[in-house]
Amino acid sequence: MLPRPAGPVARTDHRPADAPSGTAADQAHRTTTAERGAFAFARCSCGWQGPARRARDRARRDAAEHTAR
Ligand SMILES: [Zn+2]
């Protein structure tokens, strides 16, 4: 019995040139501050939203704590 000839093997080592590096994934959190009425709150591109604050400075600090994680 003859061994089965190996068919065309799909190469898995092909890598697109614009593939994101490992460190770029950590920059997915882009925070912004938004205001609603008299309150300000932090927002993130990942979907996170901080609590409503009476000062925008506090909201900004919430955002900083979120991205620090
Ligand atoms: Zn985030």
Side-chain angles (χ1 to χ4, degrees), residues 12-69:
T12 54
D13 61 342
H14 177 253
R15 199 187 266 180
D18 59 344
S21 62
T23 53
D26 295 339
Q27 298 177 344
H29 295 279
R30 306 199 77 183
T31 54
T32 52
T33 52
E35 285 170 50
R36 186 182 291 163
F39 295 96
F41 55 93
R43 253 187 190 171
C44 185
S45 58
C46 75
W48 174 85
Q49 190 174 303
R53 303 291 195 184
R54 295 185 69 178
R56 186 186 267 209
D57 199 46
R58 289 286 291 182
R60 218 170 257 167
R61 189 174 295 182
D62 288 332
E65 284 180 18
H66 171 70
T67 54
R69 278 172 198 180

